[in-house]
Amino acid sequence: MPGRGGMRGGPFSDLTEEEKKSVPKVTKDLLKRIFSYLEPYKGRLALVFVCIIISASMKLLPSILTGNIIDEGLIGRSIPKLILYILLSLLVTFAANIIGIVESHLNTWIAQHISFDMRNQMYKHLQRMSQRFFTTNSQGDIITRMTSDIGGVERVVTSTFTNIISNVITLVIAVIAMFQKNWILALIGMVIIPLFALPTRSAGKKRWSITRQSQEFNDNMNDILNETMSVSGQLLVKLFNKEGYEYGKYRQLNKQMIDLNIKENLAGRWFFVIMSTFTKIGPMLIYFVGGLLMMKTDSSLTVGDITVMVSLLSQMYMPVNSLLNIQVEWLRSMALFSRIFEYYDLPVEIKNRENALKPASFKGDIRFNDVSFSYDGENDILKHIDLEIKAGDCLAVVGPSGSGKSTLINLLPRLYDVTGGSVTIDGNDVRDIDLSFLRGGIGLVSQDTYLFNGTIRENLLYAKPNATEEELREVCRKANILDLIESSPDGMETMVGNRGLKLSGGEKQRLSIARVLLKDPDIVIFDEATSALDSINERKIQDAIDPIVEERTSILIAHRLSTILAADEIAVLKDGRIVERGQHEDLLKLNGVYAELYNTQFKIKQ
Ligand code: ADP
């Protein structure tokens, strides 16, 4: 729809609905912030500007020299002058292109460094985000901001900024040169140019919208790939016999995308047909009016002048066209920066307070003092928890699923902060202890053990990069996994597979116990896997845990009787409250929540 957007529809008419919503307020602060990223490279930037100015002006010179070639060389019948101007034109073009290379190299260097800085800053910042951030935001969104948004910024620096400058310069010089030659023809040029730029603009817009659509299809195709080509996704597909269905979905999107790509190519062809026809009208008009002026008036206009005008005119199409689009481009860039800054501005929830304590080690006295906790600020998941675990003791936490057991243990290494009360270690509030010392002193074996896709050795060394071979073997022996490692042909170099999926649940858990042993923390938290293990595996895990529990202060979320019996005390959690506490026999006698859990779960698993 030509003329729908652009100048008549206001600055936002070329943006998509989604972009319109996110049009940022371009404030002084935003600009200042953006320019703060350019600041370290201002020397190089200045050089880029100089290069652009020189190369843009030089690129126009051959057009102007055409006049001399025609008037002085051809019409003046002077071979030396002809050769001189031809050589000069070639030389200038060559020099301009060389400067262009320097400029584009500098430019890329700056853009890459800015995106290097921004990406690092983002990664560092995101690493300080709390668990809440990662459980709330989709991985896809985080990755998009890290990759395509920052990639967009790179493009802004390499193309948008430099295009504005070089286009303005080209136009200014071309206009001055035209007016110097002849003001009437220059005026005609001024009127013609915008008229011809408009069809280009609408064709460009159409292409752009097709590109966007095909990008969307591409995103959707990636989504399907992401979901169905992952280990668990593919399992779901297979078990529900959805291969045909997924293939159909993929094929359809694939088809839509190629149709669009073909359409885009055609739109491109039409665009060139329109362009090349229209662009011929401008020069013809100049020839015609110029010819009239030359023949019918006593104007000093020469054939060369008219040729220069035509040549300059043709060089003005692209800059005018791109400057007409600049407002949209500019807003799009601002939106990109704003999206990135939005992430930068996310507050760090869990951080060190000033002069945080840095204890060399923990004795291990743990207390939960009237602890309450809520994920959303409304519903309390934990309510007035009071607990005490003496140094060296082992507490087993039991309770129905969803009663808040995992939430409780997450408060100790400050994966979340309490919303009421306090958690202390050796009498110090965990919020007063330096985070790296706090987490360094606590080992957590979670239910959902995470292993990197690497070798067993690499996964173990994550806990202690400088561990010796002897240490590695020792912890593996303690964690009851050494036999398995030694019996496999690759030993420590055995690959654990994507997320450790080449190992069984029990093996994974024992490996993660070995990893925690290598870390050698003062306090151990063990979240026992709920999934049933065979008795041999369970025995192996139990044997691995026992010594850890004996040597350290420990909290176990227990699902098995054997684990519970090994504990010094049992705390029973229900609906976020501690409802019973004591030893196994005493709790059974109460005939309450524990007794019910015992009868329905622990006894069976025994
Ligand atoms: P348990 O470990 O005893 O099974 P959890 O501590 O995992 O229980 O969960 C307790 C409650 O907190 C559940 O109702 C669960 O829905 C909720 N919950 C757990 N994690 C989150 C989270 N990241 N955000 C919001 N609610 C959560």
Side-chain angles (χ1 to χ4, degrees):
M1 240 206 303
R4 179 181 57 88
M7 298 193 296
R8 277 201 281 147
F12 301 152
S13 54
D14 283 356
L15 300 176
T16 61
E17 285 304 314
E18 195 188 331
E19 282 176 321
K20 271 184 218 168
K21 260 185 258 153
S22 63
V23 166
K25 266 212 187 81
V26 182
T27 59
K28 219 169 112 191
D29 284 344
L30 177 66
L31 290 179
K32 249 195 189 152
R33 198 165 175 189
I34 293 173
F35 281 102
S36 76
Y37 285 91
L38 302 175
E39 178 80 25
Y41 310 110
K42 57 177 187 245
R44 279 188 163 83
L45 268 174
L47 213 57
V48 169
F49 290 159
V50 173
C51 286
I52 294 175
I53 295 173
I54 298 176
S55 83
S57 346
M58 281 169 88
K59 276 187 182 149
L60 282 178
L61 261 182
S63 297
I64 297 169
L65 286 175
T66 323
N68 301 61
I69 291 176
I70 293 172
D71 287 340
E72 297 173 34
L74 298 177
I75 299 176
R77 295 185 157 267
S78 157
I79 289 181
K81 279 196 174 161
L82 191 62
I83 293 172
L84 173 74
Y85 288 124
I86 287 174
L87 284 182
L88 209 57
S89 289
L90 288 177
L91 199 72
V92 169
T93 311
F94 181 69
N97 284 327
I98 295 282
I99 294 174
I101 293 175
V102 175
E103 182 254 314
S104 104
H105 173 76
L106 274 173
N107 219 340
T108 311
W109 191 94
I110 295 169
Q112 288 296 330
H113 277 76
I114 289 172
S115 78
F116 172 82
D117 296 342
M118 292 188 106
R119 221 175 279 144
N120 286 346
Q121 187 184 352
M122 180 87 98
Y123 189 78
K124 205 166 159 193
H125 184 66
L126 290 185
Q127 271 198 324
R128 297 180 68 206
M129 289 287 106
S130 68
Q131 286 299 99
R132 192 191 309 280
F133 173 81
F134 294 100
T135 45
T136 313
N137 293 287
S138 82
Q139 223 175 350
D141 188 48
I142 300 174
I143 291 175
T144 305
R145 300 219 189 193
M146 288 280 317
T147 53
S148 52
D149 285 3
I150 293 187
V153 163
E154 226 172 272
R155 267 197 314 283
V156 169
V157 179
T158 41
S159 71
T160 313
F161 283 162
T162 42
N163 277 351
I164 297 179
I165 302 165
S166 83
N167 289 335
V168 168
I169 291 169
T170 309
L171 280 181
V172 168
I173 296 178
V175 168
I176 293 174
M178 281 176 89
F179 272 98
Q180 261 192 350
K181 293 274 174 210
N182 184 287
W183 66 269
I184 301 176
L185 292 186
L187 271 184
I188 292 176
M190 297 297 97
V191 177
I192 291 171
I193 285 279
L195 285 181
F196 290 156
L198 280 179
T200 320
R201 196 167 135 73
S202 86
K205 246 171 22 192
K206 200 175 214 158
R207 273 191 86 173
W208 197 77
S209 92
I210 294 177
T211 314
R212 273 193 81 89
Q213 271 185 52
S214 89
Q215 256 169 10
E216 232 163 75
F217 282 128
N218 204 8
D219 283 351
N220 291 343
M221 277 167 65
N222 280 342
D223 276 348
I224 294 188
L225 283 185
N226 252 335
E227 288 198 346
T228 59
M229 292 285 134
S230 68
V231 178
S232 17
Q234 192 47 229
L235 196 68
L236 191 76
V237 171
K238 285 196 166 65
L239 294 180
F240 281 85
N241 276 329
K242 289 286 188 193
E243 287 94 342
Y245 169 76
E246 294 294 349
Y247 172 68
K249 249 180 18 183
Y250 188 78
R251 190 173 187 283
Q252 193 190 356
L253 275 175
N254 204 354
K255 176 85 176 75
Q256 282 169 327
M257 201 174 77
I258 62 155
D259 286 348
L260 262 184
N261 285 346
I262 293 170
K263 209 160 126 192
E264 181 184 356
N265 191 278
L266 266 184
R269 294 281 158 263
W270 280 115
F271 164 67
F272 280 116
V273 170
I274 294 170
M275 264 289 279
S276 49
T277 316
F278 268 121
T279 46
K280 284 292 168 290
I281 299 177
M284 297 307 146
L285 217 72
I286 300 267
Y287 281 133
F288 182 66
V289 180
L292 283 182
L293 286 175
M294 204 171 77
M295 292 177 249
K296 297 283 178 199
T297 66
D298 54 356
S299 146
S300 61
L301 209 62
T302 63
V303 177
D305 289 340
I306 297 175
T307 319
V308 171
M309 294 296 235
V310 168
S311 174
L312 286 176
L313 193 71
S314 65
Q315 298 226 26
M316 285 164 76
Y317 285 114
M318 287 324 278
V320 168
N321 184 40
S322 102
L323 284 177
L324 279 175
N325 281 311
I326 223 67
Q327 204 170 10
V328 173
E329 193 80 355
W330 173 256
L331 284 172
R332 209 167 270 148
S333 316
M334 291 298 124
L336 219 53
F337 275 108
S338 304
R339 262 171 69 84
I340 294 171
F341 292 157
E342 192 182 287
Y343 257 32
Y344 284 164
D345 291 339
L346 289 173
V348 177
E349 263 182 84
I350 311 269
K351 56 182 168 201
N352 278 335
R353 72 163 179 76
E354 244 175 84
N355 300 322
L357 305 169
K358 295 180 176 174
S361 66
F362 294 120
K363 228 170 87 221
D365 277 318
I366 300 169
R367 266 174 189 275
F368 286 77
N369 306 305
D370 194 26
V371 166
S372 295
F373 177 78
S374 158
Y375 282 106
D376 55 9
E378 282 177 17
N379 306 313
D380 274 353
I381 300 290
L382 296 176
K383 299 156 194 157
H384 307 290
I385 302 267
D386 278 302
L387 268 179
E388 185 189 352
I389 306 139
K390 290 206 185 67
D393 273 6
C394 168
L395 176 82
V397 181
V398 299
S401 169
S403 56
K405 302 181 295 292
S406 311
T407 308
L408 182 78
I409 56 164
N410 283 344
L411 299 178
L412 201 59
R414 284 188 78 195
L415 296 180
Y416 292 93
D417 271 344
V418 295
T419 38
S422 66
V423 181
T424 63
I425 300 178
D426 300 342
N428 295 317
D429 193 316
V430 287
R431 287 167 292 186
D432 293 334
I433 303 172
D434 184 280
L435 267 177
S436 60
F437 282 76
L438 175 71
R439 291 180 182 158
I442 299 174
L444 197 153
V445 181
S446 67
Q447 247 189 56
D448 179 27
T449 308
Y450 196 92
L451 296 176
F452 294 102
N453 192 358
T455 63
I456 290 182
R457 181 191 303 280
E458 283 163 354
N459 271 287
L460 287 173
L461 288 181
Y462 198 66
K464 189 179 178 188
N466 58 357
T468 61
E469 187 68 30
E470 206 32 60
E471 278 177 293
L472 289 185
R473 289 172 57 82
E474 177 67 15
V475 293
C476 288
R477 196 180 51 71
K478 279 192 180 156
N480 256 327
I481 188 117
L482 190 61
D483 289 350
L484 178 91
I485 295 173
E486 288 189 331
S487 65
S488 68
D490 294 333
M492 286 280 180
E493 312 319 318
T494 307
M495 297 294 289
V496 300
N498 192 5
R499 302 202 61 185
L501 286 170
K502 284 189 181 169
L503 301 178
S504 77
E507 290 160 359
K508 250 173 34 178
Q509 193 141 46
R510 277 182 280 150
L511 197 58
S512 75
I513 293 173
R515 188 163 60 180
V516 164
L517 278 172
L518 204 58
K519 184 179 175 186
D520 195 19
D522 302 313
I523 298 164
V524 167
I525 303 169
F526 189 81
D527 191 352
E528 198 169 53
T530 39
S531 54
L533 293 173
D534 60 82
S535 54
I536 298 177
N537 247 315
E538 197 176 324
R539 186 71 249 150
K540 282 182 176 165
I541 289 184
Q542 198 58 49
D543 288 348
I545 308 171
D546 283 347
I548 304 177
V549 169
E550 268 159 34
E551 289 164 16
R552 299 169 174 84
T553 312
S554 45
I555 304 178
L556 312 174
I557 295 184
H559 297 286
R560 276 174 260 285
L561 190 62
S562 50
T563 324
I564 297 169
L565 291 179
D568 295 300
E569 196 185 10
I570 303 160
V572 186
L573 205 60
K574 192 181 176 197
D575 294 334
R577 290 181 198 279
I578 304 279
V579 286
E580 292 165 11
R581 270 180 76 179
Q583 308 269 324
H584 173 69
E585 296 298 333
D586 302 331
L587 288 178
L588 270 189
K589 281 186 204 140
L590 286 177
N591 213 8
V593 180
Y594 182 78
E596 194 187 328
L597 278 171
Y598 173 73
N599 287 320
T600 53
Q601 291 184 25
F602 307 145
K603 214 158 88 175
I604 302 168
K605 282 189 181 162
Q606 201 185 358

